[in-house]
Amino acid sequence: MAVNEAERSAMRRALELASLGPRGVNPQVGAVILSPTGEVLAEGWHHGAGTPHAEVDALSQLAPGAARGATAVVTLEPCNHTGRTGPCAVALIEAGVSRVVFALDDPGAVSGGGAERLRDAGVGVEAGEQADAARALIGGWLAALRLGRPHITVKWAQSLDGRAAAADGSSQWITGHPARADVHRRRAQADAIAVGTGTVLSDDPALTARDGDELHPRQPVPVVIGARATPSDAAVRRHPRAALFYDTRDLHAVVADLHARGIQSVFVEGGPTLASAFIAAGLVDRVLVYLAPVLLGGERLALTDIAVPTIAEARRLTIEEWVPLGADLLAVGHPTSVNENDDENEGAG
């Protein structure tokens, strides 16, 4: 049975409701319950870990039996497992819902399978309605689920000859205003922004995301990694979000803790030591390199040791796009996979 206009409208509303929920360990999910004639009976969304899932949140607003014969429109396949809450598929079956329309399959090995359970109970199921919009909404959660850790972007700005700073250590500003504005826009899209203690001590960055002179409504959690102490009057301590400090060089432990806290994406800003450590550890999913048309010379390289002893072991990147930003140029790429290398080698024949 094809999705009708009332269900399409309900899915658009469910996506709006989903966006009200917090980003974190659990996905943002919204639900709308429709009567057999297409009228909205109830709405709900997931308010955070440990709270009722979107379907149950919506059902809780109805009197017993009021959902019998109704249609549930949900942004993610109803779950099929018992955690801190029960299986949503079972809740819908017990409520007497006769049809479920959802946008995305639940990719969880434990939580997936709700659609099959619904069908086995005689409930009509339609999957894929506005899937692209739902995927865009919870893309960070999907990436973190796939990776088993946050999605990590490493960013740096450099001169054409690969320097991050001049001989005296000054680095503001290598790039122009359009490039810096682009950085702030990308900061606001991340859940956390990470720097090393060296950068905190030398530059005293605020680590905020700004739109001109104003703070962006969405701010990343500042993360400082390194053994040296952060001064009590450091700008990062005045950030709108409480900073996280890690006195360790074990980046895998840091990333695991961030993942446990519900951080889905990390924006690594520097400096060269921290950026190089993430690359050497294989903890990079995307690279942003802002290239400025200046020459600096000297020893202050944008990257240091990234564990490449020979050219055969170079860490190759696949460039996704080149973005002109005023006089500067942004390279957006990701580490080249084995399959991509194989494709290139086949093409070279």
Side-chain angles (χ1 to χ4, degrees):
M1 179 179 173
V3 174
N4 60 42
E5 187 52 43
E7 293 166 345
R8 291 192 189 93
S9 178
M11 182 63 77
R12 289 191 289 271
R13 176 57 180 163
L15 288 165
E16 292 176 358
L17 294 168
S19 69
L20 300 176
R23 286 168 57 116
V25 175
N26 299 107
Q28 295 165 290
V29 182
V32 175
I33 308 297
L34 297 177
S35 73
T37 57
E39 298 171 343
V40 175
L41 296 176
E43 300 179 338
W45 70 91
H46 188 219
H47 294 255
T51 66
H53 289 187
E55 302 93 317
V56 175
D57 186 41
L59 289 171
S60 68
Q61 300 169 36
L62 299 175
R68 190 160 303 283
T71 295
V73 179
V74 194
T75 58
L76 186 67
E77 177 186 6
C79 70
N80 190 37
H81 81 297
T82 300
R84 281 187 273 186
T85 59
C88 292
V90 171
L92 292 170
I93 293 167
E94 292 178 346
V97 167
S98 63
R99 176 171 163 81
V100 174
V101 176
F102 65 86
L104 290 178
D105 292 337
D106 188 329
V110 176
S111 56
E116 182 178 359
R117 190 165 190 170
L118 289 164
R119 291 189 181 100
D120 288 346
V123 177
V125 176
E126 190 72 33
E129 172 61 23
Q130 297 174 50
D132 289 345
R135 191 175 295 108
L137 177 67
I138 61 169
W141 179 80
L142 291 169
L145 181 69
R146 184 183 76 251
L147 295 166
R149 59 165 174 78
H151 182 278
I152 299 172
T153 296
V154 173
K155 164 264 175 184
W156 68 86
Q158 67 172 62
S159 62
L160 281 182
D161 56 344
R163 270 61 183 179
D168 65 354
S170 59
S171 61
Q172 296 181 335
W173 300 99
I174 289 177
T175 55
H177 176 75
R180 299 197 299 274
D182 185 75
V183 169
H184 281 278
R185 180 179 64 81
R186 294 176 187 271
R187 282 183 181 182
Q189 294 172 350
D191 291 340
I193 178 170
V195 296
T197 52
T199 296
V200 170
L201 294 173
S202 63
D203 295 344
D204 193 26
L207 300 184
T208 52
R210 297 184 298 278
D211 184 0
D213 294 330
E214 301 294 326
L215 288 178
H216 196 281
R218 188 172 187 276
Q219 293 291 323
V221 174
V223 175
V224 179
I225 304 171
R228 287 180 285 181
T230 298
S232 59
D233 61 347
V236 69
R237 294 190 182 276
R238 300 190 295 275
H239 194 283
R241 307 286 297 276
L244 299 174
F245 298 92
Y246 294 93
D247 180 4
T248 180
R249 294 183 179 180
D250 186 346
L251 294 182
H252 288 277
V254 171
V255 167
D257 185 69
L258 293 175
H259 184 54
R261 292 172 181 270
I263 299 292
Q264 296 174 3
S265 59
V266 179
F267 195 74
V268 179
E269 278 238 24
T273 300
L274 187 66
S276 301
F278 268 93
I279 293 171
L283 291 172
V284 179
D285 303 297
R286 174 163 289 182
V287 171
L288 302 176
V289 183
Y290 293 83
L291 298 163
V294 298
L295 301 175
L296 295 175
E299 299 179 351
R300 295 182 180 273
L301 296 172
L303 290 180
T304 58
D305 182 14
I306 57 171
V308 176
T310 177
I311 191 66
E313 297 180 43
R315 296 178 180 272
R316 301 191 179 278
L317 300 175
T318 298
I319 300 300
E320 301 166 17
E321 59 179 330
W322 294 96
V323 184
L325 295 167
D328 305 313
L329 187 63
L330 168 62
V332 180
H334 63 265
T336 302
S337 68
V338 173
N339 289 338
E340 286 174 309
N341 267 328
D342 290 344
D343 290 343
E344 289 177 6
N345 292 336
E346 289 176 6

